[in-house]
């Protein structure tokens, strides 16, 4: 027997040969990184008892950087301090405040321990100031000091982080913020990917993907000239991205009337192809994002996503001429409020294809006037000449191709357990695509020729193909109608035989079929010399494969695939 339990073991059997000529992304189920953090309480309620004011007065109702009135004034009646006391290890911290000078010219200092004062050059305009240091002791006096009596400043949103620089501000009330994000990892070339659900940590199995190319350049650097902004602005390093770097952008709609978007145009390889576009989004001030593929001349398809509930809000297909939406699956949650959103469409005959996206105030329009400071976080755009989504491929100045995952077991690693006369295989895998017509596993002389379990668009075929006959099945292949979205799990079993007296049996998800004996096998005894996962196309996560060196009964196949 052979038992390859990728999902539960979290390992790849050393008898398997794996190849992929490029790097590739995945989740390892354990690596996380600190995302949003603010260790201060009541970080924007400076009149709260969490803050202690000495020789100074605090007043609310001040106009903040966004134009509302949630900021505070702080006026010195002596050498004035406004601070919190935090008992914590003496490690590296970054303290930040939004500050605006109102009156005076005296020193305005930030402190992490009440002793070391770091002066800030404050102007009459709102700006965010910070200090990074390792404070002394374990009890830290953290806050702001005005050195000269009668000086006055406005303050807004303080933040304390265990980092060497400040990140996007997060307002706290009665509890500190300590958020973590699963990290999108990169596997080196030639290293298999044992994939995990990023939000639950569940082990999924061995990821097998076909080759694909990200046609977009600067897939993370939206401020590059490869991208065009229309009635929108970008704030760089706005928050923690899915790969744990501070590279996500805040995409803000401005106050102009009309389309508010960021876009990139590529030249198509051919007309009337299916293309899939994906972008990572996270709600910020707005809770809706949208993603569109078009020809740049008013023809396209668009989908709006609710980034709070993680569902599609609105999908509009066939805008204009000969451009249809094939699919837009439910956004994939990848942790800490991030979703990977996608749209698939078939293009018209235009030579250009445009990927564009943005924030939305209502989930139904991409042309609603914004306020100039609200938006959504965005990162990691991808456009593929495929009818389905594959793993993220980062790019810079050029398009990048991720090569095919190839896993096989051949030679004595295979012949030591395989029975040429008769046997049975049961495989459990996750359908990562619906629009597919590829092989999840093949027993044969090559990765395109042999006995196989084949996953079509809406069915599973149990193929008994001659190892010397590439295209003609030796008997009618049993077909099973398989419903289910991307991510559905399939269990399929098949009897494999070179013996004409053995019944051809199969089962999928507990449903059994029989189509008779192997009566028209190739003359002689074709030798099956290897096992192959996939066939160079399609996308699967192989959870488990078990081989038995005998023809199983129909009852066993049903039980093993239920």
């Amino acid at each position: 027997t052979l038992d390859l339990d990728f999902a539960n073991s979290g390992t790849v059997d050393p008898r398997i040969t794996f190849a992929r000529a490029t790097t590739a992304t995945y989740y390892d189920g354990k690596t996380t990184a600190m995302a949003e953090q603010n260790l201060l309480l009541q970080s924007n309620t400076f009149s709260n008892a969490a803050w202690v004011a000495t020789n100074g007065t605090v007043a609310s109702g001040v106009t903040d950087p966004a134009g509302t009135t949630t900021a505070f004034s702080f006026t010195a009646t002596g050498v004035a301090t406004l601070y919190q006391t935090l008992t914590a290890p003496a490690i590296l911290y970054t303290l930040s405040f939004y500050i605006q000078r109102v009156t005076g010219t005296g020193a305005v200092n930030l402190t992490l321990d009440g002793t070391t004062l770091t002066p800030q050059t404050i102007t009459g305009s709102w700006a965010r100031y910070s200090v990074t240091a390792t404070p002394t002791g374990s009890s830290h006096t953290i806050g702001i000091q005005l050195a000269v009596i009668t000086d006055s400043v406005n303050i807004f949103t303080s933040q304390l982080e265990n980092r060497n620089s400040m990140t996007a501000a997060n307002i706290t009330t009665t509890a500190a913020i300590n958020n973590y994000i699963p990290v999108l990892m990169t596997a080196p070339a030639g290293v298999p990917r044992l994939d995990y659900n990023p939000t639950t940590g569940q082990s999924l199995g061995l990821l097998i993907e076909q080759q694909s190319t990200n046609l977009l350049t600067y897939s993370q650097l939206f401020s590059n000239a490869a991208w065009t902004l229309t009635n929108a602005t970008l704030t760089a390093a706005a928050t923690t991205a899915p790969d744990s770097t501070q590279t996500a952008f805040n995409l803000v709609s401005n106050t102009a009337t009309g389309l508010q978007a960021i876009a990139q145009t590529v030249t198509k390889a051919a007309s009337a192809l299916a293309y899939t576009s994906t972008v990572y989004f996270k709600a910020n001030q707005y809770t809706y994002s949208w993603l569109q593929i078009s020809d740049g001349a008013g023809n396209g398809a668009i989908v709006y996503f609710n980034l709070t509930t993680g569902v599609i809000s609105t999908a509009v297909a066939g805008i204009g001429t000969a451009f249809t939406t094939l699919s837009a699956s439910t956004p994939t949650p990848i942790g800490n409020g991030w979703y990977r959103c996608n749209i698939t469409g078939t293009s018209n005959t235009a030579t250009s294809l445009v990927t564009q996206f943005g924030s939305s105030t209502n989930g139904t329009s991409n042309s609603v006037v914004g306020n100039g400071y609200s938006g959504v976080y965005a990162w990691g755009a991808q456009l593929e000449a495929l009818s389905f989504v594959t793993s993220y491929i980062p790019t810079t100045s050029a398009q990048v191709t991720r090569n095919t995952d190839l896993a096989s077991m051949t030679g004595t690693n295979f012949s030591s357990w395989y029975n040429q006369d008769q046997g049975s295989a049961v495989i459990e895998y996750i359908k990562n695509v619906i629009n597919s017509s590829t092989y999840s596993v093949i027993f044969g002389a090559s990765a395109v020729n042999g006995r196989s379990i084949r996953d079509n668009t809406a069915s599973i075929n149990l193929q008994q193909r001659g190892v010397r006959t590439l295209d003609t099945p030796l008997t009618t292949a049993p077909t099973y109608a398989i419903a289910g979205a991307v991510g559905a799990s399939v269990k399929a079993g098949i009897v494999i035989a070179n013996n004409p007296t053995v019944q051809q049996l199969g089962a999928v998800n507990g449903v059994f079929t029989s189509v008779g004996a192997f009566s028209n096998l190739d003359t002689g005894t074709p030798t099956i010399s290897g096992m192959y996962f996939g066939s160079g196309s399609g996308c699967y996560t192989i959870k488990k494969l078990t081989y038995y060196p005998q023809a199983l009964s129909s009852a066993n196949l049903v039980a093993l695939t239920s």
Side-chain angles (χ1 to χ4, degrees):
T1 61
L2 178 75
D3 187 22
L4 302 176
D5 193 349
F6 301 109
N8 288 314
S9 71
T11 61
V12 176
D13 191 294
R15 293 171 292 180
I16 292 177
T17 298
F18 182 85
R20 186 189 58 251
T22 59
T23 61
T25 58
Y26 73 109
Y27 286 95
D28 70 357
K30 59 185 179 182
T31 303
T32 61
M34 186 172 65
E36 298 85 4
Q37 184 183 53
N38 192 349
L39 301 176
L40 298 176
L41 305 183
Q42 302 292 345
S43 64
N44 194 45
T45 312
F46 298 107
S47 57
N48 187 273
W51 292 93
V52 176
T54 303
N55 297 327
T57 58
V58 175
S60 62
V62 175
T63 303
D64 59 41
T68 60
T69 56
T70 63
F72 286 74
S73 65
F74 180 46
T75 303
T77 58
V79 176
T81 58
L82 181 66
Y83 65 90
Q84 289 188 26
T85 300
L86 180 69
T87 300
I91 58 178
L92 188 71
Y93 294 92
T94 293
L95 171 67
S96 59
F97 276 79
Y98 284 91
I99 309 174
Q100 177 188 41
R101 185 178 290 278
V102 179
T103 60
T105 59
V108 178
N109 301 305
L110 296 182
T111 182
L112 282 161
D113 57 16
T115 301
T116 304
L117 303 175
T118 304
Q120 309 294 312
T121 303
I122 309 300
T123 70
S125 300
W126 278 111
R128 196 174 178 208
Y129 301 88
S130 69
V131 57
T132 299
T134 300
T136 59
S138 59
S139 181
H140 313 307
T141 303
I142 299 165
I144 184 172
Q145 182 205 65
L146 302 183
V148 177
I149 189 171
T150 72
D151 275 11
S152 181
V153 296
N154 294 330
I155 51 178
F156 174 75
T157 307
S158 58
Q159 184 155 293
L160 181 67
E161 309 170 73
N162 291 132
R163 300 187 219 259
N164 60 8
S165 63
M166 64 180 177
T167 62
N170 302 278
I171 295 176
T172 65
T173 54
T174 58
I177 293 175
N178 284 285
N179 293 340
Y180 287 81
I181 186 171
V183 178
L184 182 66
M185 308 292 289
T186 299
V191 175
R193 291 176 289 170
L194 289 163
D195 205 21
Y196 289 74
N197 183 303
T199 58
T200 67
Q202 177 189 5
S203 176
L204 301 177
L206 177 64
L207 181 58
I208 300 292
E209 288 188 306
Q210 70 175 68
Q211 177 174 300
S212 187
T213 300
N214 188 351
L215 303 174
L216 300 175
T217 59
Y218 294 100
S219 62
Q220 297 166 199
L221 190 59
F222 300 143
S223 58
N224 186 271
W227 294 93
T228 300
L229 283 167
T230 302
N231 297 328
T233 58
L234 291 167
T235 302
T239 195
T240 307
D243 68 346
S244 81
T245 62
Q246 294 294 315
T247 55
F249 283 83
N250 189 27
L251 179 58
V252 174
S253 300
N254 67 20
T255 57
T257 301
L259 176 70
Q260 297 167 331
I262 183 171
Q264 187 174 148
T265 302
V266 301
T267 300
K268 295 191 311 189
S271 61
L273 288 179
Y275 287 85
T276 296
S277 182
T278 56
V279 178
Y280 292 88
F281 290 116
K282 180 179 178 178
N284 193 10
Q285 296 90 352
Y286 290 155
T287 59
Y288 295 98
S289 65
W290 59 271
L291 178 58
Q292 182 177 37
I293 48 177
S294 71
D295 61 2
N299 306 299
I302 188 170
V303 178
Y304 295 84
F305 304 95
N306 186 320
L307 302 176
T308 299
T309 59
V311 299
I312 293 173
S313 173
T314 308
V316 183
I319 303 170
T321 305
F323 209 112
T324 58
T325 297
L326 298 180
S327 65
S329 55
T330 301
T332 302
I334 55 95
N336 195 37
W338 281 99
Y339 291 89
R340 194 178 187 205
C341 302
N342 70 85
I343 182 173
T344 298
T346 298
S347 63
N348 56 23
T349 57
T351 58
S352 296
L353 192 68
V354 180
T355 292
Q356 59 184 8
F357 54 91
S359 61
S360 174
T361 61
N362 57 13
T364 58
S365 174
N366 58 6
S367 298
V368 177
V369 174
N371 56 21
Y373 58 85
S374 295
V376 297
Y377 296 123
W379 183 85
Q382 185 157 301
L383 178 66
E384 305 172 81
L386 295 173
S387 58
F388 49 86
V389 180
T390 73
S391 58
Y392 175 57
I393 307 168
T395 68
T396 53
S397 59
Q399 297 174 351
V400 174
T401 296
R402 181 200 61 247
N403 283 70
T404 305
D405 292 300
L406 298 172
S408 62
M409 193 181 290
T410 59
T412 56
N413 287 336
F414 178 78
S415 62
S416 62
W417 54 264
Y418 187 78
N419 181 10
Q420 292 289 339
D421 180 63
Q422 61 178 279
S424 304
V426 177
I427 185 172
E428 183 177 359
Y429 62 93
I430 298 170
K431 295 162 62 77
N432 293 335
V433 301
I434 294 298
N435 298 307
S436 178
S437 183
T438 56
Y439 303 92
S440 53
V441 65
I442 296 172
F443 293 85
S446 70
V448 294
N449 195 2
R451 284 78 162 121
S452 67
I453 296 174
R454 181 178 184 179
D455 195 327
N456 288 331
T457 300
S459 65
I460 305 295
N461 290 345
L462 305 182
Q463 305 269 17
Q464 298 290 342
R465 304 171 76 88
V467 295
R468 301 179 199 163
T469 306
L470 178 60
D471 296 319
T472 306
L474 296 176
T475 62
T476 303
T479 299
Y480 301 81
I482 295 296
V486 170
S489 186
V490 174
K491 291 183 180 180
I494 186 174
V495 170
I496 305 167
N498 282 337
N499 186 336
T501 66
V502 176
Q503 285 289 105
Q504 178 178 342
L505 304 177
V508 175
N509 290 348
V511 178
F512 165 75
T513 190
S514 172
V515 291
F518 296 107
S519 59
N520 56 345
L521 290 166
D522 285 349
T523 57
T525 304
T527 298
I528 293 176
S529 58
M531 177 178 65
Y532 305 85
F533 293 107
S535 59
S537 61
C539 299
Y540 302 98
T541 303
I542 311 297
K543 300 174 71 174
K544 183 177 182 178
L545 182 137
T546 306
Y547 176 84
Y548 306 88
Q550 62 182 8
L552 294 178
S553 68
S554 59
N556 279 336
L557 284 177
V558 168
L560 290 168
T561 61
S562 295

